[in-house]
Amino acid sequence: MLSRLLKEHQAKQNERKELQEKRRQEAITAATCLTEALVDHLNVGVAQAYMNQRKLDHEVKTLQVQAAQFAKQTGQWIGMVENFNQALKEIGDVENWARSIELDMRTIATALEYVYKGQLQSAPS
């Protein structure tokens, strides 16, 4: 009788161990599936963030190139405006010079007129 009880007890223990091992394997499988699902979910977000970062990097490089081109073009425009401004100053200087010459010529013409009239008036007497 004791040996039969011992055998039954050992058989039940073996069944429990097998059941416990089966449950442990199921728990490991479930934990692995859960972990993989979480990692996959996170990887989708990380992949999207990586793609967004690559797009941003590309846009930054494009913007830098365009900014450099704009700066170069702006420098050229500034040079052209400065040249135009200098030309306008020179035209103003020429115009001022022409007025000055014209005033001098009128002064000379008036002086010559007075001299001529003075000679005409003094010659008949």
XYZ file of all heavy atoms in Angstrom, residues 33-68:
279
model
N 6.395 36.506 -28.022
C 5.475 37.139 -28.983
C 5.192 38.587 -28.587
O 5.179 39.491 -29.440
C 4.173 36.349 -29.083
S 4.340 34.771 -29.920
N 4.950 38.790 -27.293
C 4.692 40.148 -26.809
C 5.899 41.047 -27.059
O 5.765 42.172 -27.552
C 4.348 40.128 -25.319
C 4.165 41.508 -24.673
C 2.962 42.228 -25.268
C 4.024 41.370 -23.172
N 7.078 40.553 -26.747
C 8.298 41.329 -26.952
C 8.488 41.672 -28.423
O 8.807 42.810 -28.772
C 9.517 40.552 -26.428
O 9.312 40.231 -25.056
C 10.788 41.356 -26.577
N 8.284 40.701 -29.280
C 8.429 40.944 -30.717
C 7.405 41.971 -31.204
O 7.717 42.846 -32.011
C 8.294 39.638 -31.498
C 9.500 38.737 -31.353
C 9.327 37.400 -32.054
O 8.243 37.152 -32.650
O 10.269 36.594 -32.021
N 6.171 41.856 -30.708
C 5.135 42.817 -31.107
C 5.502 44.228 -30.650
O 5.348 45.199 -31.397
C 3.785 42.407 -30.531
N 5.987 44.357 -29.409
C 6.393 45.671 -28.903
C 7.562 46.235 -29.704
O 7.577 47.418 -30.066
C 6.763 45.583 -27.418
C 5.605 45.356 -26.450
C 6.139 45.120 -25.037
C 4.665 46.546 -26.468
N 8.541 45.394 -29.983
C 9.703 45.844 -30.754
C 9.274 46.253 -32.161
O 9.726 47.282 -32.679
C 10.792 44.752 -30.784
C 11.866 45.071 -31.797
C 11.412 44.587 -29.402
N 8.396 45.463 -32.787
C 7.908 45.815 -34.125
C 7.174 47.148 -34.093
O 7.357 47.988 -34.979
C 6.989 44.719 -34.668
C 7.747 43.468 -35.073
O 8.993 43.551 -35.227
O 7.096 42.416 -35.248
N 6.363 47.339 -33.076
C 5.624 48.601 -32.951
C 6.591 49.777 -32.792
O 6.430 50.825 -33.408
C 4.666 48.528 -31.759
C 3.893 49.783 -31.539
N 2.911 50.209 -32.397
C 3.990 50.732 -30.569
C 2.422 51.359 -31.967
N 3.058 51.694 -30.849
N 7.605 49.606 -31.947
C 8.598 50.661 -31.754
C 9.430 50.884 -33.008
O 9.762 52.023 -33.346
C 9.513 50.327 -30.573
C 8.862 50.395 -29.193
C 9.849 49.924 -28.130
C 8.388 51.801 -28.889
N 9.753 49.796 -33.701
C 10.554 49.921 -34.919
C 9.837 50.722 -35.992
O 10.473 51.457 -36.744
C 10.942 48.544 -35.462
C 12.105 47.943 -34.695
O 12.826 48.645 -34.000
N 12.282 46.642 -34.813
N 8.518 50.599 -36.062
C 7.758 51.382 -37.040
C 7.934 52.869 -36.747
O 8.215 53.665 -37.644
C 6.266 50.981 -37.014
C 5.421 51.959 -37.801
C 6.087 49.573 -37.560
N 7.811 53.252 -35.486
C 7.998 54.651 -35.104
C 9.421 55.122 -35.350
O 9.646 56.230 -35.847
N 10.386 54.283 -35.013
C 11.790 54.632 -35.217
C 12.085 54.767 -36.713
O 12.772 55.699 -37.138
C 12.722 53.583 -34.558
C 14.164 53.784 -34.978
C 12.597 53.648 -33.049
N 11.558 53.860 -37.507
C 11.772 53.924 -38.957
C 11.161 55.199 -39.520
O 11.765 55.870 -40.368
C 11.178 52.696 -39.643
N 9.984 55.563 -39.048
C 9.343 56.794 -39.520
C 10.163 58.012 -39.105
O 10.366 58.936 -39.898
C 7.919 56.898 -38.960
C 7.139 58.065 -39.499
C 6.906 57.959 -40.996
O 6.627 56.903 -41.518
N 7.033 59.077 -41.676
N 10.649 58.006 -37.873
C 11.482 59.116 -37.405
C 12.768 59.206 -38.223
O 13.219 60.304 -38.582
C 11.812 58.947 -35.921
N 13.346 58.062 -38.551
C 14.565 58.036 -39.359
C 14.295 58.596 -40.752
O 15.081 59.402 -41.268
C 15.099 56.600 -39.443
C 16.306 56.461 -40.314
C 17.553 56.923 -39.890
C 16.220 55.879 -41.580
C 18.666 56.801 -40.690
C 17.329 55.761 -42.384
C 18.553 56.221 -41.941
O 19.659 56.103 -42.742
N 13.196 58.199 -41.356
C 12.847 58.707 -42.687
C 12.609 60.220 -42.625
O 13.061 60.963 -43.506
C 11.606 57.994 -43.232
C 11.833 56.545 -43.588
S 13.135 56.302 -44.812
C 12.394 57.079 -46.226
N 11.918 60.675 -41.597
C 11.686 62.112 -41.441
C 13.009 62.861 -41.269
O 13.192 63.946 -41.834
C 10.763 62.390 -40.254
C 9.340 61.950 -40.507
O 8.935 61.733 -41.648
N 8.573 61.800 -39.447
N 13.924 62.286 -40.505
C 15.232 62.913 -40.305
C 15.995 62.998 -41.618
O 16.625 64.015 -41.912
C 16.037 62.125 -39.266
C 17.386 62.735 -38.945
C 17.270 64.093 -38.304
O 16.393 64.317 -37.487
N 18.153 65.007 -38.660
N 15.943 61.956 -42.415
C 16.620 61.977 -43.720
C 16.022 63.042 -44.619
O 16.749 63.769 -45.301
C 16.527 60.604 -44.391
C 17.432 59.576 -43.719
C 17.489 58.280 -44.467
N 18.063 58.507 -45.786
C 17.916 57.686 -46.811
N 17.232 56.592 -46.680
N 18.463 57.953 -47.974
N 14.684 63.165 -44.615
C 14.034 64.198 -45.420
C 14.446 65.584 -44.943
O 14.724 66.476 -45.752
C 12.510 64.050 -45.347
C 11.967 62.867 -46.116
C 10.448 62.766 -45.960
C 9.898 61.524 -46.630
N 8.445 61.384 -46.423
N 14.473 65.765 -43.615
C 14.888 67.056 -43.058
C 16.332 67.387 -43.435
O 16.641 68.529 -43.792
C 14.731 67.059 -41.540
C 13.309 67.185 -41.010
C 13.292 67.001 -39.499
C 12.708 68.516 -41.386
N 17.209 66.392 -43.354
C 18.606 66.616 -43.734
C 18.709 67.049 -45.192
O 19.462 67.967 -45.525
C 19.447 65.356 -43.500
C 19.680 65.065 -42.022
O 19.488 65.979 -41.201
O 20.054 63.919 -41.705
N 17.944 66.380 -46.046
C 17.944 66.739 -47.475
C 17.429 68.168 -47.667
O 18.009 68.950 -48.430
C 17.087 65.741 -48.265
C 16.968 66.075 -49.709
N 18.023 65.942 -50.583
C 15.929 66.565 -50.432
C 17.629 66.337 -51.792
N 16.370 66.715 -51.723
N 16.354 68.508 -46.972
C 15.785 69.855 -47.093
C 16.764 70.912 -46.569
O 16.875 71.994 -47.143
C 14.456 69.953 -46.332
C 13.331 69.148 -46.955
C 12.944 69.654 -48.327
O 12.961 70.878 -48.542
O 12.638 68.821 -49.196
N 17.481 70.586 -45.489
C 18.462 71.521 -44.935
C 19.582 71.769 -45.944
O 19.996 72.913 -46.160
C 19.028 70.994 -43.592
C 20.291 71.734 -43.181
C 17.984 71.102 -42.515
N 20.065 70.704 -46.561
C 21.125 70.858 -47.563
C 20.636 71.692 -48.740
O 21.356 72.572 -49.229
C 21.609 69.487 -48.044
C 22.438 68.756 -47.004
C 22.851 67.387 -47.481
C 23.591 66.636 -46.380
N 23.938 65.276 -46.779
N 19.410 71.434 -49.190
C 18.842 72.204 -50.292
C 18.718 73.669 -49.894
O 19.066 74.570 -50.673
C 17.460 71.640 -50.683
O 17.605 70.259 -51.030
C 16.864 72.392 -51.846
N 18.248 73.908 -48.688
C 18.094 75.279 -48.208
C 19.447 75.982 -48.105
O 19.563 77.158 -48.449
C 17.389 75.282 -46.852
C 17.103 76.647 -46.243
C 16.171 77.451 -47.151
C 16.474 76.496 -44.874
N 20.466 75.273 -47.664
C 21.799 75.864 -47.569
C 22.309 76.261 -48.950
O 22.869 77.347 -49.117
C 22.779 74.886 -46.909
C 22.588 74.741 -45.419
C 23.480 73.672 -44.820
O 23.938 72.764 -45.511
N 23.725 73.756 -43.518
N 22.111 75.396 -49.933
C 22.546 75.706 -51.298
C 21.788 76.916 -51.820
O 22.382 77.848 -52.386
C 22.349 74.479 -52.226
C 22.511 74.851 -53.679
C 23.324 73.379 -51.852
N 20.482 76.934 -51.618
C 19.682 78.055 -52.094
C 20.047 79.345 -51.374
O 20.088 80.416 -51.987
C 18.194 77.758 -51.928
C 17.684 76.690 -52.878
C 16.238 76.315 -52.637
O 15.654 76.676 -51.616
N 15.648 75.586 -53.566
N 20.332 79.266 -50.076
C 20.729 80.458 -49.318
C 22.064 80.992 -49.832
O 22.242 82.210 -49.958
C 20.815 80.139 -47.828
N 22.990 80.096 -50.137
C 24.284 80.531 -50.680
C 24.098 81.192 -52.041
O 24.705 82.235 -52.323
C 25.235 79.333 -50.786
